[in-house]
Every structure is written in C-alpha cells, then in structure tokens.
Amino acid sequence: MPPSLRSFDLSGPEWLVSLRWLAIILIGVTVLISHTLFDVDLSWRCVGILLGFLALWNLALPKLEEHLPISSKGYVFLQILVDIAVLTGILWNTGGLMNPFATFYVLHMMIAGLILDRKSTLQVAGITILCLVSLMAAAPLVVQGVPLEIKQTPLWLGLLVATISLIIIATAFILGFMRRLELSQEEGRQRERMAAIGRLVAGLAHELGTPLNVIVLLAKDLADGASEPVRKDLDTILSQARRCGDLVALLLGYSRSAQGEVNARIEPQAWLEEVFRAARSSLPTERIPLAHLKVILAPGLPQLLLPELALRQVFLNLFKNALQAAKTQAEARVSVEISHVDEARELRFLVRDNGPGFTAESRAHAFDAFYSTKQAGEGDGLGLYVCYHLVQQMNGMISIPKDLQTEGGALEVILPCGKERP
C-alpha cells in the first residue's frame, strides 16, 4: 500500500515520494472518470505503462538513492525531471495542450523553486517550456467519437502562449520570493548574532562597570591639588575611562545608541588623522613599520555633522583592517575620499588601502560575525560586523564595491548628512 501524504518537510526529498503516490492515484481516477462519464477516447495502454513506470520508480527510489553518487538537491532535480517526462508522456496520449492538466507543470516549477538553487530552477523551466512546445504535435482529444481539433484556430496558439507565460511568471515569482526569504532569514541570523554578542558584552559591562567607576572617582580625587602636568595626565585617564563606558553603552544600545547620539561637528582632516593614529598605535609597531593616511575632500566639505562616537568606532575598525591588510607592503598606504551624493543629502566615504583586496569569498562573508581572513591572534572577525550594525543604526550603508578591488581593498560608507538638534 502506498505511503500516506504525511508532511511537507522541505529539508528532504521524501515528501516528493508521497506526493507522487497521490498523483498516480488522482491521474488514474481522472482517466477513469473521463472515459466513463464523458466518453473520452484514451490510449489506456500508454497511460497505464507510464503510471506503472512511475509506481516502480517510487518503489525503487530508496535503493536508487543509496547508489546514486549525487547530492540531495541533485537527487531532487532528477526526480523532478522524471516527473516532467512522465507528465509529458501522459499529456501526449491524452490530448496534449487540450488537456487542462497541462497546467500541472506549474507544480513542478514550484517544487523546483522551493528546493533547488536558481540555476537548477531555470533549467527545469527551460525543459518544461520545451515539453509544452512539443505537445503542439500531439493528437487531439476524441470525445464521443469526435476529435477536438483546434490546431487551425487562434485558440491553439493562445493555449501555448498562456501556459508558457504562466510557467515564466510562476518561476520569476518563486525565485523572487525565495530571494526575499533568504535575505529575511540572513537579517534574522544577523540580529540573533548581534543579540548574542550583546548578551556577552552585557556580562562584561556588569563586571567592568565597578572598576571603571573607581578609576573615574580616583582620577577626580587625585586631580584636586595635583600639579599641572599630573592633572593633564589624570584628565586623559578620566576621558578614556568615560569613553570606555560610552563604547560599551553604544554596543549594548543603552543610554545613547548611534541613532540617538547627538550629532557633533567634525573637521574631517584632523579628525580622521586622530582616529588613524589611534588605530595605528593599537597595533604592534613591528608589524607595520610605515603607515600613511591621505584624506581627499570634495569642495565644500570644511566640517561634517555626524554622530562622532559611533563614527569613531567605525573608522577605528576600518583603519585597523586596512593597516593589517597592507602589512606585507613596505609602506602601508590608506586613503579616505569624502564627497556628497544624492544632491548633497548623503555623504560618501571611500576607504582604500594598498593591501591584497577582497576575494569573492571574503566579499560575500566580510560582514558575518567571527569571519576573518587574518592569522590566528590578529583578529576576532567582529570588526566589520560591528561596523555594519553601527552604520545601520546611523541609517547608513556600508558595502564593498566590486569594481574597486583591482588595486588594493576598498570599502564604501554612505551616511545621511546630519542636522543639528534645536
């Protein structure tokens, strides 16, 4: 007895077997009803052979799967091709395009789009269209001894065009839907990763909160009555301790996020050079003997109005990555080009270095958490990941321009021009 249709678990092809048993039963019942009630003359022998082959194919699939050296998706692709071939054979012997069950080709397209990749789905669509065209040569249905001959009428061509159009539209819709679903799932995974990092940082923040507060209080107490040189050093300790607290709060989304941070006026040349020096000093000196920054400003950009704290963290990470990428060069060269885009409503930052650039694989996974092409001990794979989320909080976009990877690495950051709060 054929198995019942229990589930539609898309993680495996087993449900296709149950669906095929259901199709065999329904096709047999439909052929019987058509002949009995409507006196449709059918080629019983050919239809029976095809249904018998389909049943034997179903029974042989478990053994066949064990001996086929192909992937799970290749196995599904083979099953879909067999189903299309059998459907075409049945339609050929039951009126061709005149058989309304020709629209069942759409079902195969839906299955291909849900399980297979884009290339395989398009191949299935092409094979399906060829099968539809071949059905134009099939013999017409004979009902009550009269052939339903419409090959000389516009309806014949209309059936073909309508069915092919349905296949194309269904394929485009399914591929588009699956693409949007993949993007949505990837965004969900990114949020889950960021939430996990947030929980990790929350635990660290709890432990770091007390010593940071002690450092701030002691720095304030020691500054009272201290000499001027000592007071300057204590002010530096105080400001850096507060910055540590701000950075933890920024990553956690507490107190003020990148989106809620008050915009500050930034003089781009001096500010970028300061951040570059901080990034340079945070890396081992012996690994990067020489490093230079070049800032290229478009006319009319004397100052920028942006969330300074979040932007500092973004460029600190970008500069670190650029310097580490160019460490094999005799001189690490990093440049930042700043210009207006979209009628001056947005700012474009193009960060380039003279390192090896991004490969196709690293470009695809650069913003994934814990993905890194660096050697062990040189990075944790979170720099660009954090940059991606901070830029998103600023309503901006960060990307890797494919056309700029020929000479060194390049990253593009686009941010909305800030406005001062009243």
Side-chain angles (χ1 to χ4, degrees), residues 243 247-248 250-251 271 275 307-320 382-383 386-387 390 394:
R243 181 175 293 278
L247 289 175
V248 171
L250 178 65
L251 292 175
W271 183 83
V275 177
E308 193 272 342
L309 178 62
L311 197 62
R312 177 181 290 271
Q313 188 63 33
V314 169
F315 273 92
L316 193 64
N317 289 341
L318 295 182
F319 285 152
K320 284 182 180 180
L382 290 175
V386 171
C387 287
L390 289 178
M394 290 185 279

Side-chain angles (χ1 to χ4, degrees), residues 360-389:
E361 179 185 357
S362 62
R363 190 165 58 246
H365 299 284
F367 300 109
D368 291 351
F370 305 111
Y371 176 82
S372 177
T373 57
K374 302 170 186 174
Q375 297 178 358
E378 293 188 358
D380 51 19
L382 290 175
L384 289 181
Y385 179 74
V386 171
C387 287
Y388 177 84
H389 285 276

Side-chain angles (χ1 to χ4, degrees), residues 3 11 26 29 103 139 152 176 278 305 311-312:
S11 62
L26 292 178
V29 172
T103 55
Q152 305 303 322
L305 193 59
L311 197 62
R312 177 181 290 271

Side-chain angles (χ1 to χ4, degrees), residues 40 95 98-100 138-153 155-156 159:
V40 179
M98 286 295 297
N99 191 326
L141 277 174
V142 178
V143 181
Q144 297 179 354
V146 179
L148 299 180
E149 184 62 69
I150 61 170
K151 290 186 178 180
Q152 305 303 322
T153 67
L155 180 61
W156 183 245
L159 281 172

